[in-house]
Amino acid sequence: MVDGQTAHLGTGWTFPIGVNTQGNLRFSAHAIRNIEESIAIILGTKLGERVYRPEFGSRLSELTFAPMNTQTLLLIRLYVTEALQRWEPRIVLDGVYTEPDPIEGRVDITLEYHPKQTHDYRSLVYPFYLTPIT
């Protein structure tokens, strides 16, 4: 249930889309969960992937085969910041940090943010693989 303090954040379909026990679409009524699902959708969507909104998403997919170096880590931070500032208007992005894991071929992207009109500071780790998972 959405309380008065987070009602402005809204609700939406769950991600991934699913149905409840009555056969109806599931919704994310918890505003923070809805924001986290939205962030995952934005970062996981390649530019041009959406049919009627080709500019939606992030440029992270351009770095899939990039070497794990300082330039790539800076580009990850830039692309994440650009995408979230454009497509997630419900949050204020306080910081984007990258932690490389060369053994796994993964960069853990730590997002620090807070929903607008609140002081509820949050942190979310989004794993980004520089090589596709097989």
Side-chain angles (χ1 to χ4, degrees):
M1 176 156 220
V2 179
D3 61 24
Q5 292 180 338
T6 59
H8 67 281
L9 298 175
T11 61
W13 294 356
T14 59
F15 179 75
I17 294 175
V19 293
N20 61 19
T21 55
Q22 290 82 26
N24 299 320
L25 285 175
R26 279 193 327 226
F27 286 89
S28 286
H30 190 268
I32 298 301
R33 184 173 358 148
N34 184 260
I35 287 173
E36 290 174 353
E37 291 171 351
S38 176
I39 289 170
I41 290 169
I42 292 165
L43 297 181
T45 302
K46 299 175 188 176
L47 292 179
E49 188 174 353
R50 287 265 176 109
V51 176
Y52 293 109
R53 187 164 277 186
E55 68 280 0
F56 179 82
S58 74
R59 297 175 60 190
L60 279 178
S61 64
E62 296 175 14
L63 302 173
T64 300
F65 293 104
M68 192 173 299
N69 59 26
T70 304
Q71 181 180 359
T72 301
L73 296 176
L74 289 172
L75 284 173
I76 288 171
R77 292 173 58 192
L78 175 67
Y79 293 169
V80 167
T81 302
E82 286 176 345
L84 293 180
Q85 286 179 342
R86 180 168 185 193
W87 297 110
E88 188 45 81
R90 299 174 294 177
I91 67 169
V92 173
L93 197 56
D94 299 313
V96 178
Y97 308 98
T98 53
E99 184 176 332
D101 184 350
I103 295 171
E104 295 291 326
R106 180 184 76 223
V107 176
D108 288 330
I109 305 168
T110 301
L111 308 170
E112 292 181 354
Y113 68 94
H114 66 274
K116 288 184 177 176
Q117 301 175 358
T118 73
H119 297 289
D120 184 16
Y121 291 94
R122 298 273 173 175
S123 152
L124 174 76
V125 176
Y126 181 84
F128 176 66
Y129 292 87
L130 293 174
T131 55
I133 303 171
T134 55

